[in-house]
Amino acid sequence: MLEVGKYKMVTLTYDLRVDDENGEMVEQATTEKPLQFLYGAGMMLPKFESELAGLKQEQDFQIKLAKTDAYGEVNNDAVVELPKSVFLVYGNFDDELIKIGNTVPMMSSNGQRMNGLVLEITDEVVKMDFNHPLAGEDLFFVGKIIQVRESSDEEVAQILSGGAGGCGCGSGSSCSSDDCGDGS
């Protein structure tokens, strides 16, 4: 039976909670919608991935990641005020998309995709938080390895070149339902 290791395709389920095994559940990968990823491709949080090394199919796991091994501390510099004009569409403010509590896909000046949470809207600015939603949180995963298999050369090439990959908080997603984020 194969073990989780470099360039193996890993399929697993997990419940992700903040703080500890009794904390708020923030994400789940189920048998119907498992997380599948290429181990060693840099798609997962490094500590999460290293904790899976050597596990085999049908093996259960529990992984606790301190915030420093997950998404880090909350960065106050990632809370910014942007001119309201940035959100004009054909000269009109998009108040359907830009409302308090919405997460909005954005792009930095250097082309990096990121999600921002709308915190406040004034006549002149929109205050947004670009911290990862789980910044400042310790993460606790409880799960099971469903499958470990050899990856094909094509899968490795596609994934390493930025093609299809896994989805889930282990991969740095935005942790919203059905959303594969890029960890920004």
Side-chain angles (χ1 to χ4, degrees), residues 35-54:
L35 168 64
Q36 183 176 49
F37 67 98
L38 178 65
Y39 187 93
M43 298 164 53
M44 302 292 124
L45 292 166
K47 182 73 172 175
F48 175 81
E49 193 169 86
S50 70
E51 292 288 324
L52 295 174

Side-chain angles (χ1 to χ4, degrees), residues 82-98 104-106 121-126 128:
L82 299 173
K84 205 168 179 182
S85 62
V86 168
F87 302 97
L88 297 181
V89 177
Y90 301 114
N92 296 312
F93 182 74
D94 186 354
D95 57 6
E96 285 296 309
L97 179 62
I98 312 304
V104 180
M106 303 282 291
I121 302 168
T122 70
D123 289 340
E124 301 297 318
V125 298
V126 176
M128 298 186 75

Side-chain angles (χ1 to χ4, degrees), residues 1-4 11 52-61 144-148:
M1 189 175 295
L2 291 176
E3 292 183 354
V4 174
T11 304
L52 295 174
L55 295 180
K56 296 178 181 165
Q57 186 169 312
E58 298 301 317
Q59 215 169 345
D60 294 325
F61 62 86
K144 184 175 196 164
I145 304 295
I146 302 299
Q147 182 183 48
V148 180

Side-chain angles (χ1 to χ4, degrees), residues 103-156:
T103 299
V104 180
M106 303 282 291
M107 190 172 292
S108 70
S109 58
N110 63 3
Q112 179 184 11
R113 293 182 343 182
M114 61 184 111
N115 290 319
L117 175 66
V118 179
L119 300 176
E120 182 182 342
I121 302 168
T122 70
D123 289 340
E124 301 297 318
V125 298
V126 176
K127 185 175 183 179
M128 298 186 75
D129 183 352
F130 288 98
N131 282 290
H132 188 281
L134 295 175
E137 302 284 358
D138 294 331
L139 305 181
F140 190 78
F141 295 85
V142 175
K144 184 175 196 164
I145 304 295
I146 302 299
Q147 182 183 48
V148 180
R149 68 171 175 80
E150 294 291 344
S151 57
S152 70
D153 292 342
E154 293 80 21
E155 286 173 320
V156 173

